[in-house]
Amino acid sequence: MTTPAAPTPERKAEPTPPATPRTARSWLRDHSELGVCALLLALGVLVLNDALTMDVDITQRGPVGPKTVPVVVGVGLLVVAALLAVDVLRGGRGQAETGEDVDLGEPADWRTVLLLSGVFLGSAVLIEPLGFPVAGALLFWGAAYTLGSRRVDRDPLIAAVLSLAAYALFDKLLGVPLPGGPLMGVL
């Protein structure tokens, strides 16, 4: 025998909290990955514009010429930008950084960032008067020093060897002319 169930009192619906108005700023914060989409779109348009306006009459030797790779890269950038935008607008979100070596609670090391920026800018300024081998050696050594290497007995030697190897690879083997500077007659 079953006993009749006692009627349950009806629950009153709890009032829902008032909806907070979504501002454009909060929408953009929730969809911040769209900034990456915009950057990829701009890069794709820039690459395609440069590739399609490139003068290649002299270097064209077959159906695949100097325009092929930049056009493929430009189209690839546009496709990735569109796919990422669709994913973000559908609610997709990138995963947070989970690297074990990254402490997100620590502030950025602006001293290192500024020193590296100075090394790169200095190299860019010195490449014409000093040539690639010297400016490249200063770039490699300056970057190693900025990032913490203090081996003054071997770092300049390694930087010089890397710079000369890069110069030989690009200038001599690949035919990409790089400024030799004062070492032009020696190299």
Side-chain angles (χ1 to χ4, degrees):
M1 301 206 103
T2 60
T3 58
T8 57
E10 290 192 27
R11 294 186 180 188
K12 292 184 180 180
E14 294 182 20
T16 58
T20 57
R22 285 189 60 89
T23 63
R25 186 176 187 151
S26 67
W27 187 88
L28 286 174
R29 186 178 305 121
D30 291 342
H31 297 88
S32 61
E33 290 94 349
L34 290 175
V36 176
C37 298
L39 178 66
L40 290 173
L41 177 73
L43 284 174
V45 168
L46 178 69
V47 169
L48 278 176
N49 182 43
D50 283 349
L52 296 176
T53 58
M54 184 187 308
D55 185 25
V56 294
D57 294 336
I58 298 172
T59 58
Q60 185 74 32
R61 293 189 183 167
V64 177
K67 287 185 177 184
T68 305
V69 171
V71 167
V72 169
V73 169
V75 168
L77 286 168
L78 294 178
V79 168
V80 168
L83 291 175
L84 182 60
V86 168
D87 182 53
V88 169
L89 292 174
R90 286 184 175 174
R93 299 195 47 92
Q95 292 182 349
E97 174 64 43
T98 59
E100 61 189 52
D101 294 340
V102 178
D103 185 7
L104 297 176
E106 290 293 319
D109 184 7
W110 289 107
R111 179 183 178 273
T112 302
V113 171
L114 291 174
L115 284 172
L116 276 176
S117 299
V119 166
F120 285 123
L121 290 175
S123 174
V125 168
L126 294 175
I127 197 167
E128 193 62 40
L130 297 180
F132 182 83
V134 175
L138 290 173
L139 170 69
F140 292 138
W141 178 73
Y145 185 84
T146 300
L147 293 173
S149 179
R150 299 294 186 258
R151 297 286 307 263
V152 293
D153 57 336
R154 84 171 175 194
D155 288 347
L157 180 63
I158 293 172
V161 169
L162 281 174
S163 181
L164 286 172
Y167 178 78
L169 174 72
F170 282 96
D171 194 61
K172 305 301 181 197
L173 294 177
L174 296 176
V176 177
L178 294 174
L183 300 175
M184 191 65 161
V186 178
L187 304 174

